[in-house]
Amino acid sequence: AILSESVKMQPAERLKILLFLVNIYSSGCFRSSSINIGRRLIMGSEDIISFQNLNRRAMVTAAFGSSFFAKAAEASAKRGVPNKIGLVDASASAFDNEKTNVVRRNTNEVVSQVNGIRHKRLGGSDVIVSEIGLGTQRWVSGDFNGPDEKLCFKLMDRAILNDGINLIDTAEQYPIPSDNAHPEGLCEEVIGKWASLSKGRRNKIVVATKITGGTRITKKGIIEACEGSLKRLKTDYIDVYQFHWPARYTPQSNWGQSLEYKQEQEESDYRMVRGACSFEDQCEAMGQLLRQGKIRSWGMCNDNAFGLTVLCETAKRLGVAPAAAMQNDYSLLNRRIEENGVSEASSPLYENA
């Protein structure tokens, strides 16, 4: 009831009410997500409140009691107010939804259309991305025809300010190729510089960036790499944070050159010899960043159905929001995700990424 009434208040007052309720009633369960929840409330989200980062029904049950959502719906009905209080459970299966009050959000759900471009949900998160995005690998690079900063700004002006695109895909390793005059990280700096030119630009874009894969991925390394990207992007949060390629050996991490897994490489691959970061450590690091509000969602690149499934299931076991995205090669010529199980694993019925 208080949340429903808060819609009539100014954004700052609404945020105060929200943070008060979160801290009083959560007993610690939801406090860590207050930054992201507050951001959604201030931006006038269609939902009054969305528990974005904490997707486990057990936490809600512990904090509010198993009948919390039923009581909320009943109270709203009596007051003639639409029930918009819901738990986003990205890890719940389609079968669970028939038995619970959990609000199910499916990946690739078309949420809106801007200038003819569809905007879709990413995984079970509240991150909404344009179907077409800006790729930045060659921006400000050492390539002979790589666009310079001025041209990159024009590309973002047209795509984001005029043409309905909000997704920008980058990485801490970009540009490629890099050299002394075009160092790694420069792409993120250019994006951050453009976004800081005027108020409101940051809210118009969804930034997806990546930590370099292999031995760069450790629990400590993930946190440090994220902090570096935040600084270069001149922002306090990243919308989608991804592993550029896996910490472990897998044939898919070689940009899909092979689907054959060779067990003999488990003992010789540089990642395995030095001790690949465990799935638990990876998920715990992403969970920490989610709780701190430094990332809104996370995912992986150049991985396969095994990596997606194990990381998602590990995250659920640890009480962390599972991966929302899997970014792999896919084109007229490269259809490997249709062959290696990724399409099945990422279905809303299973990992919902």
Side-chain angles (χ1 to χ4, degrees):
I2 295 175
L3 286 169
S4 297
E5 289 296 325
S6 72
V7 173
K8 304 173 185 177
M9 302 176 183
Q10 293 299 314
E13 295 301 314
R14 292 163 62 192
L15 180 58
K16 289 178 183 178
I17 291 292
L18 173 68
L19 296 182
F20 168 78
L21 292 176
V22 167
N23 282 287
I24 292 299
Y25 291 110
S26 68
S27 300
C29 288
F30 294 122
R31 191 173 297 122
S32 56
S33 286
S34 58
I35 295 175
N36 283 326
I37 297 172
R39 184 182 297 122
R40 285 180 59 78
L41 210 66
I42 289 173
M43 291 173 66
S45 169
E46 180 179 85
D47 297 323
I48 291 176
I49 180 170
S50 173
F51 299 121
Q52 173 202 343
N53 289 335
L54 292 152
N55 301 319
R56 309 303 288 170
R57 280 191 301 280
M59 291 184 177
V60 181
T61 301
F64 298 101
S66 59
S67 61
F68 171 75
F69 292 104
K71 290 180 179 178
E74 182 181 352
S76 296
K78 287 181 179 178
R79 297 177 60 251
V81 177
N83 177 34
K84 292 186 177 181
I85 301 177
L87 169 67
V88 178
D89 190 341
S91 66
S93 73
F95 303 108
D96 291 335
N97 296 326
E98 299 174 1
K99 307 172 184 177
T100 69
N101 298 329
V102 176
V103 177
R104 175 68 175 182
R105 290 181 167 177
N106 291 337
T107 190
N108 287 330
E109 170 197 355
V110 177
V111 176
S112 63
Q113 187 166 308
V114 182
N115 293 340
I117 295 177
R118 292 182 296 183
H119 285 222
K120 296 182 174 183
R121 187 174 307 284
L122 197 65
S125 73
D126 68 350
V127 178
I128 309 301
V129 298
S130 54
E131 198 168 38
I132 298 173
L134 289 174
T136 67
Q137 187 189 78
R138 291 296 194 269
W139 284 15
V140 291
S141 71
D143 214 347
F144 76 96
N145 63 351
D148 60 13
E149 181 180 289
K150 184 177 180 181
L151 182 52
C152 291
F153 277 24
K154 287 184 178 179
L155 290 170
M156 288 185 279
D157 285 344
R158 176 174 176 177
I160 297 162
L161 301 182
N162 299 316
D163 288 348
I165 292 173
N166 71 354
L167 176 62
I168 302 180
D169 173 64
T170 190
E172 67 169 359
Q173 192 182 31
Y174 293 172
I176 296 176
S178 59
D179 53 36
N180 290 336
H182 311 85
E184 292 183 357
L186 186 58
C187 280
E188 290 181 326
E189 291 182 10
V190 168
I191 295 167
K193 187 175 180 180
W194 178 88
S196 62
L197 287 177
S198 63
K199 287 185 177 180
R201 286 196 175 192
R202 178 62 184 91
N203 291 336
K204 292 180 181 293
I205 58 176
V206 172
V207 177
T209 192
K210 316 173 190 76
I211 174 177
T212 301
T215 55
R216 168 74 159 151
I217 298 176
T218 64
K219 193 171 183 178
K220 180 181 178 181
I222 293 168
I223 304 300
E224 291 179 348
C226 182
E227 293 289 353
S229 289
L230 287 169
K231 183 177 181 180
R232 289 185 293 271
L233 289 163
K234 298 182 185 299
T235 183
D236 59 356
Y237 69 97
I238 292 167
D239 299 286
V240 190
Y241 195 50
Q242 303 178 104
F243 302 119
H244 207 153
W245 61 89
R248 69 189 194 283
Y249 156 68
T250 172
Q252 185 63 47
S253 66
N254 190 27
W255 284 267
Q257 299 301 311
S258 173
L259 295 179
E260 181 184 3
Y261 185 86
K262 299 179 179 179
Q263 290 188 0
E264 58 270 21
Q265 287 195 225
E266 293 176 346
E267 297 180 359
S268 60
D269 185 89
Y270 76 98
R271 287 160 290 197
M272 309 301 277
V273 170
R274 295 180 59 178
C277 182
S278 70
F279 293 117
E280 286 79 8
D281 280 354
Q282 293 174 57
C283 292
E284 285 176 357
M286 288 300 189
Q288 178 179 329
L289 293 171
L290 285 167
R291 291 191 299 274
Q292 293 172 342
K294 293 179 179 179
I295 64 174
R296 295 175 60 201
S297 66
W298 64 282
M300 62 218 70
C301 306
N302 305 301
D303 209 327
N304 56 24
F306 172 76
L308 174 63
T309 302
V310 175
L311 278 169
C312 284
E313 294 305 313
T314 301
K316 295 172 194 176
R317 174 164 50 83
L318 296 175
V320 174
M326 164 72 91
Q327 182 179 350
N328 275 19
D329 291 331
Y330 186 65
S331 68
L332 288 172
L333 297 178
N334 188 332
R335 318 293 287 191
R336 290 188 182 276
I337 69 164
E338 296 174 346
E339 303 169 0
N340 64 9
V342 170
S343 293
E344 179 181 9
S346 59
S347 164
L349 189 63
Y350 300 113
E351 303 307 343
N352 197 34

mmCIF file of all heavy atoms in Angstrom, residues 6 28 41 115 186 320:
data_model
loop_
_atom_site.group_PDB
_atom_site.id
_atom_site.type_symbol
_atom_site.label_atom_id
_atom_site.label_comp_id
_atom_site.label_asym_id
_atom_site.label_seq_id
_atom_site.Cartn_x
_atom_site.Cartn_y
_atom_site.Cartn_z
ATOM 1 N N SER A 6 3.302 5.787 -2.999
ATOM 2 C CA SER A 6 4.531 6.527 -3.271
ATOM 3 C C SER A 6 4.649 6.960 -4.726
ATOM 4 O O SER A 6 5.432 7.834 -5.055
ATOM 5 C CB SER A 6 5.757 5.680 -2.893
ATOM 6 O OG SER A 6 5.934 4.622 -3.819
ATOM 7 N N GLY A 28 18.423 -7.601 5.859
ATOM 8 C CA GLY A 28 19.657 -7.784 5.102
ATOM 9 C C GLY A 28 19.481 -8.435 3.757
ATOM 10 O O GLY A 28 20.380 -8.392 2.922
ATOM 11 N N LEU A 41 13.066 2.902 -9.801
ATOM 12 C CA LEU A 41 11.936 3.674 -9.304
ATOM 13 C C LEU A 41 12.023 5.116 -9.791
ATOM 14 O O LEU A 41 11.054 5.704 -10.232
ATOM 15 C CB LEU A 41 11.925 3.631 -7.773
ATOM 16 C CG LEU A 41 10.546 3.736 -7.118
ATOM 17 C CD1 LEU A 41 9.730 2.506 -7.454
ATOM 18 C CD2 LEU A 41 10.685 3.868 -5.628
ATOM 19 N N ASN A 115 11.545 3.771 -33.139
ATOM 20 C CA ASN A 115 11.934 4.075 -34.524
ATOM 21 C C ASN A 115 12.065 2.806 -35.367
ATOM 22 O O ASN A 115 12.985 2.661 -36.164
ATOM 23 C CB ASN A 115 13.246 4.861 -34.561
ATOM 24 C CG ASN A 115 13.098 6.258 -33.974
ATOM 25 O OD1 ASN A 115 11.991 6.786 -33.877
ATOM 26 N ND2 ASN A 115 14.205 6.858 -33.578
ATOM 27 N N LEU A 186 40.878 2.064 -24.703
ATOM 28 C CA LEU A 186 40.559 3.341 -25.331
ATOM 29 C C LEU A 186 39.102 3.400 -25.794
ATOM 30 O O LEU A 186 38.478 4.459 -25.737
ATOM 31 C CB LEU A 186 41.499 3.597 -26.511
ATOM 32 C CG LEU A 186 41.394 4.968 -27.198
ATOM 33 C CD1 LEU A 186 41.632 6.086 -26.195
ATOM 34 C CD2 LEU A 186 42.395 5.060 -28.365
ATOM 35 N N VAL A 320 22.891 -16.174 -6.263
ATOM 36 C CA VAL A 320 23.267 -15.058 -7.129
ATOM 37 C C VAL A 320 22.368 -15.081 -8.367
ATOM 38 O O VAL A 320 22.028 -16.156 -8.878
ATOM 39 C CB VAL A 320 24.747 -15.179 -7.566
ATOM 40 C CG1 VAL A 320 25.113 -14.096 -8.585
ATOM 41 C CG2 VAL A 320 25.661 -15.095 -6.352
#
